[in-house]
Amino acid sequence: MVQGIQDCPNGRLTPAKFVDMYKMFFPSGNAEEFCDHVFRTFDMDKNGYIDFKEFLLAIDVTSSGTPEEKLKWAFRMYDVDGNGVIDIQEMTKIVQAIYDMLGACSSNRPADSAEERAKNIFAKMDENNDGQLTQDEFLKGCLQDEELSKMLAP
């Protein structure tokens, strides 16, 4: 477990330390790909590390934020290229990373493939069928479907 000042003496959490932290919670799966996405979302100023303030803000949102705050955070994670919309490739990439993190033998892992799951999510959320999810479509879709919300939000 991260020992605070002993593991991060300069107050900066590096990608490697972040992955090590996640591996403790998902020992049977491959957490690295998912960690890359979470790290990118936590690293709000995009300087390559998570400082203490960023870490506290992210933990606050993901643990005690409102459902809408959590979903906005999740939207930023799914929007891999940061262009303000989620396309099917981005959705598939994150869903695959979640599947990989859960591990092949996990009882929590869904039976469908990441591609099938991403297509189903899009079918439910993409109101105007333009192949992209705006933040509004994402929020509305998750807030209307509790199962989607649980799967897509931290």
Side-chain angles (χ1 to χ4, degrees):
M1 188 131 180
V2 174
Q3 300 293 313
I5 202 73
Q6 294 167 341
D7 283 339
C8 305
N10 59 4
R12 297 175 178 176
L13 188 57
T14 64
K17 283 285 181 200
F18 193 74
V19 169
D20 288 346
M21 204 169 65
Y22 255 84
K23 281 182 179 176
M24 289 186 311
F25 299 107
F26 299 96
S28 65
N30 179 359
E32 290 186 27
E33 182 76 25
F34 184 71
C35 284
D36 288 346
H37 297 297
V38 176
F39 190 92
R40 173 182 44 79
T41 309
F42 277 24
D43 183 15
M44 290 177 247
D45 60 8
K46 308 298 178 218
N47 63 0
Y49 61 86
I50 300 170
D51 62 33
F52 193 62
K53 182 180 176 187
E54 288 170 325
F55 185 74
L56 288 179
L57 284 170
I59 294 302
D60 184 53
V61 168
T62 57
S63 63
S64 62
T66 66
E68 193 166 309
E69 288 170 332
K70 290 178 184 181
L71 291 170
K72 284 179 179 178
W73 183 89
F75 180 86
R76 286 197 313 274
M77 182 176 72
Y78 284 85
D79 181 14
V80 176
D81 63 9
N83 70 347
V85 293
I86 300 169
D87 62 33
I88 191 73
Q89 290 82 14
E90 289 171 318
M91 179 67 71
T92 302
K93 188 180 287 189
I94 302 288
V95 172
Q96 185 62 58
I98 292 169
Y99 279 25
D100 292 346
M101 181 178 62
L102 293 173
C105 301
S106 174
S107 61
N108 294 332
R109 185 181 172 134
D112 57 354
S113 72
E115 293 83 8
E116 291 169 329
R117 179 60 59 109
K119 284 179 187 173
N120 289 336
I121 291 166
F122 256 77
K124 289 182 179 182
M125 290 185 169
D126 189 11
E127 290 181 336
N128 61 0
N129 295 314
D130 67 350
Q132 298 179 331
L133 298 179
T134 64
Q135 186 178 51
D136 286 343
E137 285 175 318
F138 183 82
L139 292 175
K140 189 175 179 184
C142 286
L143 292 171
Q144 290 176 352
D145 187 326
E146 192 173 332
E147 186 177 319
L148 272 180
S149 185
K150 283 180 185 173
M151 189 189 87
L152 298 175

